[in-house]
Amino acid sequence: MIRAEEGPPERKMTNFLKNISEPRDVQHLNLEQLEALATECRQRIIEVTSKRGGHLASSLGVVEITIALFKLFDLEKDRLVWDVGHQAYTHKLLSGRNDQFETLAQSGGVKKFLSRDESPYDHFGAGHASTSISSALGMAIARDLKEQSNHVVAVIGDGAMTGGLAFEALNHNGFLDKNLLLIYNDNGMSIDPNVGALSKLLTRIASSRLYNLFREESLEMAERAPFSETLGLKRTLQMMHDSMKAFFKPPGMLFEQLGWRYMGPVNGHSLEDLIELIGHVQDLEGPIVIHALTQKGKGYSFAEEDAFKYHGVSPFVPEDGSFLKKSKSGDNSVSYSKVFSEKLGELMEEDPKVVALSAAMLSGTGLIGLQKKFPDRVLDVGIAEGHAVTCSAGMATEGMKPFVAIYSTFLQRALDHIIHDVAIQKLPVRFMLDRSGLVGADGPTHQGVYDLTYLRMIPGMTLMVPRNGAELRRMIDFCYQHETGPIALRYPRGNTCSTEETEVPPIEMGKAHLLQDGTDIVLLAVGVMVEAAFETAKKLEKEGYSVAVVNARFVKPLDRDLILKLASFCKLVVTMEENAIQGGFGSAVLELLNVSENSTPTLSFGIPDRFIAQGSPEEQRRDAGLSAEHMLNNIHERLKQIRIPVRKKSIKLTRKKAS
């Protein structure tokens, strides 16, 4: 039995959702039909995410908000901006993508986040948090410059409100006073039954046309009255208005002080209340905030009970909420995030100076368990990557050993802080970049394929990439001992079977690991591409070539001596990385060869100069030209160009012993 509020889908499903092909179709439905539509949307989201994975709890929490907005606004001309995008599945269902929703997160299918190239109703793309108010304000400014009159609405979740960008936009429009409606989706609070009725009454009064007309006219009359400035009539009336709101609704005062009219809180799961309130305020002048209280995971009891667990889900069984186990090649497979957290935990046990910071990603980076054990030394700063970096810099000045664990795609938001607050001051901040490289179904917004480039350019930065979990553990130790400036360690999403440190040689600054020697071709690889290099080498050897394989380990500084030595007698130097080809590891090798006046032919493999679409990691590697087959074909083409003859001797007889 499905433990959802609405009951099993076969009993409750109607045909409203199937008959909606565009947003305006929602406007023809009455309240009862809209409530039935909400039930259908929830069941559709549960049905598809249980098969495909995706963002479940967030989307279930905003079903009524979405339907109310579609009911009241014309999305052909009005603009609706969602924050992050993982709460916009209902939006996708109601804007013509219901029939394709089964393809969610698949290659060529419906995307997990909003994208302007997927639908004309995705008015602004969203993958990273806290961008909605800024982008919506930009639309409102453009609207006024073009002398148009459409509405602009932004929906932001409470998590995204921790991001500084949201407050910058709130502050800006508090000054500009543009007509902009902000729906604050607050799933971190509950409606207190003791004050709920009174609060609801005040919201109705504050949003009513009669009250707002009286409010504006009374303030204007006070301003025109004789001796108004002397007596302070207008200021007194405004203070009375603010005091009433502060007494009944303390959360609203933050918005009010920033220049926004605050309305709420309102039950975010009551279509009747939402439609009434939004309908009252949608034509009011100036910045308006509606504070909607919602429950994450609403309508699916498992997600209601543990919204954290069911935020982003892999395929699961709807009837009991259990997740389907992925088949594994071995029982000893473990995620890179877990390898990191276990090693860091050992260091925290040994040294009280070790601290960890993350930006709303304690679970994803593996730190959630360590926070319970070290609550004062494992810090979640919220969606504030820049603050995490600068805060860690402050800690480093006082002799602490900060580890900043953030997804690669999110750390790029803090680039200025890394340069200005850490690198210039030569502070030993340790950056742990989780989810580096291609990440599969999350698509372009979440791929960590730029970190080698944006970190390599920073003076004084040390940059490492482990081949496997065992090497990751070794490198974390190296980071712990590093005290002469910033150091970054990037590792992929996914699992590793090798975690025993004794399996790999110790880490030395700027030293690569020569895995096998060769005289014709040298394959220089980092991270996950090391195994691809081995695979490619085996195929080349069957064709008679002598191939050296190097696990570079360091992207900055490079192992200058080893690379130049190999390049001095090999006929072709090949680099392999799961990073943007511009400015990454391959570029570093080419720069080294150039300044050393080495003219050995080269070939670089990496992410091409375009965004790689969502799909499985294997599909993405093929798309990026990083499959073994594609790389082998390109190496053959390059060998033809430089006319290297195929060796006839046995490789076993000609190969030198590797280190």
Side-chain angles (χ1 to χ4, degrees):
M1 173 179 173
I2 293 183
R3 292 173 61 195
E5 272 190 3
E6 296 81 6
E10 63 269 18
R11 291 188 218 162
K12 287 288 186 180
M13 287 293 282
T14 59
N15 291 318
F16 294 115
L17 182 56
K18 291 182 179 179
N19 292 328
I20 291 173
S21 59
E22 57 183 354
R24 68 179 59 194
D25 293 337
V26 178
Q27 297 175 0
H28 305 306
L29 303 180
N30 60 34
L31 182 60
E32 183 179 357
Q33 293 169 329
L34 292 174
E35 289 174 344
L37 177 62
T39 299
E40 292 181 59
C41 288
R42 281 200 168 87
Q43 296 298 343
R44 181 67 166 149
I45 291 169
I46 294 169
E47 172 195 1
V48 172
T49 56
S50 69
K51 300 173 184 175
R52 303 296 187 193
H55 294 95
L56 177 62
S58 315
S59 289
L60 293 179
V62 293
V63 171
E64 285 81 10
I65 290 175
T66 312
I67 292 174
L69 293 173
F70 273 59
K71 171 71 174 177
L72 293 169
F73 293 96
D74 180 1
L75 298 192
E76 294 285 346
K77 61 177 183 177
D78 296 328
R79 296 292 178 258
L80 174 58
V81 181
W82 293 90
D83 214 284
V84 183
H86 61 230
Q87 54 184 344
Y89 286 4
T90 304
H91 169 92
K92 289 176 180 278
L93 293 176
L94 301 180
S95 56
R97 284 166 278 184
N98 178 42
D99 289 343
Q100 295 81 41
F101 200 56
E102 290 280 356
T103 66
L104 180 69
Q106 305 299 297
S107 177
V110 172
K111 298 174 183 176
K112 294 169 71 174
F113 300 95
L114 295 172
S115 176
R116 282 167 53 83
D117 61 11
E118 182 174 283
S119 169
Y121 300 112
D122 288 1
H123 297 139
F124 195 82
H128 291 185
S130 310
T131 63
S132 61
I133 309 175
S134 290
S135 53
L137 178 55
M139 294 176 181
I141 293 170
R143 171 200 62 203
D144 293 351
L145 289 173
K146 294 190 293 183
E147 298 183 349
Q148 297 175 342
S149 59
N150 58 286
H151 298 93
V152 179
V153 183
V155 184
I156 189 167
D158 58 341
M161 281 297 294
T162 65
L165 187 65
F167 287 95
E168 292 171 22
L170 285 171
N171 181 61
H172 189 200
N173 200 31
F175 169 74
L176 290 181
D177 202 39
K178 296 293 182 183
N179 294 347
L180 176 60
L181 176 60
L182 173 63
I183 308 296
Y184 173 34
N185 169 33
D186 182 357
N187 54 30
M189 298 176 65
S190 61
I191 300 174
D192 189 331
N194 295 322
V195 298
L198 184 60
S199 178
K200 187 173 182 180
L201 175 62
L202 182 62
T203 298
R204 282 188 172 180
I205 294 172
S207 64
S208 69
R209 297 185 186 280
L210 183 61
Y211 168 78
N212 280 283
L213 181 62
F214 169 76
R215 176 181 179 274
E216 297 301 326
E217 289 188 353
S218 62
L219 291 174
E220 289 178 12
M221 288 175 61
E223 190 172 17
R224 293 195 302 265
F227 310 110
S228 172
E229 188 172 340
T230 304
L231 297 175
L233 291 178
K234 182 178 181 181
R235 186 166 60 87
T236 301
L237 283 171
Q238 186 64 56
M239 287 176 62
M240 290 173 61
H241 169 77
D242 291 342
S243 296
M244 181 175 67
K245 282 202 167 184
F247 180 78
F248 289 109
K249 308 182 187 192
M253 284 312 295
L254 171 63
F255 296 105
E256 295 277 347
Q257 291 299 318
L258 289 172
W260 291 65
R261 296 280 305 284
Y262 173 85
M263 303 291 174
V266 62
N267 182 353
H269 298 300
S270 169
L271 275 166
E272 183 176 11
D273 291 350
L274 286 168
I275 292 171
E276 179 186 18
L277 177 55
I278 298 172
H280 281 171
V281 306
Q282 67 183 129
D283 292 320
L284 292 181
E285 297 290 318
I288 308 289
V289 176
I290 289 180
H291 184 180
L293 301 179
T294 63
Q295 181 179 18
K296 205 169 181 180
K298 179 71 173 178
Y300 185 56
S301 63
F302 299 105
E304 291 178 353
E305 294 164 8
D306 193 345
F308 187 78
K309 178 180 178 181
Y310 289 89
H311 168 75
V313 298
S314 57
F316 62 96
V317 180
E319 288 77 11
D320 62 14
S322 61
F323 291 97
L324 301 177
K325 293 183 179 180
K326 297 179 180 178
S327 58
K328 297 180 180 179
S329 56
D331 296 330
N332 60 341
S333 178
V334 62
S335 73
Y336 279 90
S337 301
K338 187 173 183 181
V339 172
F340 159 66
S341 65
E342 288 179 350
K343 181 63 179 180
L344 186 66
E346 294 171 14
L347 295 175
M348 296 186 81
E349 289 277 9
E350 298 170 4
D351 188 348
K353 291 183 178 180
V354 176
V355 292
L357 298 89
S358 190
M361 284 290 167
L362 288 183
S363 177
T365 57
L367 292 176
I368 191 71
L370 289 180
Q371 189 190 45
K372 296 174 183 176
K373 194 171 185 179
F374 305 101
D376 296 330
R377 291 161 57 200
V378 178
L379 309 175
D380 185 351
V381 304
I383 302 175
E385 293 83 4
H387 167 61
V389 172
T390 303
C391 182
S392 68
M395 290 181 177
T397 65
E398 297 300 314
M400 303 302 287
K401 295 176 177 287
F403 283 75
V404 181
I406 296 178
Y407 288 8
S408 170
T409 185
F410 298 140
L411 186 64
Q412 65 201 28
R413 308 181 90 185
L415 180 58
D416 177 66
H417 303 268
I418 299 171
I419 296 172
H420 182 272
D421 302 328
V422 177
I424 289 177
Q425 302 186 87
K426 301 181 176 63
L427 294 172
V429 174
R430 300 144 184 92
F431 296 100
M432 304 290 109
L433 281 71
D434 203 326
R435 306 300 200 272
S436 289
L438 296 166
V439 295
D442 283 347
T445 58
H446 284 59
Q447 287 162 9
V449 296
Y450 310 107
D451 49 42
L452 297 185
T453 300
Y454 71 73
L455 291 175
R456 191 176 74 84
M457 70 179 183
I458 301 174
M461 177 67 72
T462 298
L463 186 51
M464 299 186 293
V465 190
R467 171 189 176 188
N468 52 33
E471 205 161 69
L472 174 58
R473 288 181 61 88
R474 286 274 198 190
M475 288 183 175
I476 293 170
D477 248 335
F478 186 88
C479 289
Y480 166 73
Q481 297 168 23
H482 185 76
E483 294 287 350
T484 56
I487 187 167
L489 173 52
R490 61 113 72 172
Y491 45 94
R493 180 180 190 172
N495 290 1
T496 175
C497 291
S498 178
T499 60
E500 180 53 54
E501 292 180 51
T502 57
E503 295 176 358
V504 296
I507 308 297
E508 297 179 56
M509 174 61 80
K511 293 298 181 182
H513 184 198
L514 178 61
L515 299 172
Q516 71 178 42
D517 208 348
T519 57
D520 285 333
I521 304 167
V522 54
L523 304 181
L524 301 168
V526 289
V528 297
M529 297 305 293
V530 173
E531 301 311 315
F534 259 130
E535 194 178 332
T536 305
K538 288 177 182 177
K539 294 178 180 179
L540 288 168
E541 287 175 343
K542 289 180 180 179
E543 299 170 8
Y545 295 103
S546 175
V547 184
V549 178
V550 176
N551 170 19
R553 286 185 162 185
F554 285 82
V555 172
K556 186 179 183 182
L558 291 173
D559 191 335
R560 177 187 178 92
D561 294 340
L562 177 62
I563 293 173
L564 291 179
K565 178 184 177 182
L566 292 169
S568 68
F569 57 78
C570 282
K571 313 302 188 298
L572 176 66
V573 175
V574 180
T575 65
M576 299 178 177
E577 64 190 301
E578 206 171 86
N579 183 80
I581 203 162
Q582 285 89 350
F585 170 64
S587 292
V589 172
L590 293 177
E591 290 163 14
L592 172 61
L593 296 177
N594 181 53
V595 298
S596 303
E597 298 183 352
N598 182 293
S599 58
T600 304
T602 60
L603 180 62
S604 294
F605 293 103
I607 306 299
D609 190 22
R610 58 184 172 83
F611 297 109
I612 305 301
Q614 69 184 32
S616 68
E618 293 74 22
E619 290 171 328
Q620 289 183 320
R621 290 189 186 105
R622 284 198 296 272
D623 185 14
L626 295 180
S627 66
E629 180 184 10
H630 183 275
M631 290 192 294
L632 188 62
N633 289 339
N634 277 29
I635 290 172
H636 282 150
E637 289 299 316
R638 193 75 177 102
L639 291 174
K640 288 179 183 177
Q641 293 171 5
I642 59 181
R643 298 178 180 176
I644 296 182
V646 177
R647 281 184 166 273
K648 301 301 182 184
K649 294 181 181 180
S650 167
I651 295 302
K652 291 182 180 179
L653 295 178
T654 59
R655 176 178 300 148
K656 303 173 195 174
K657 186 177 180 181
S659 62

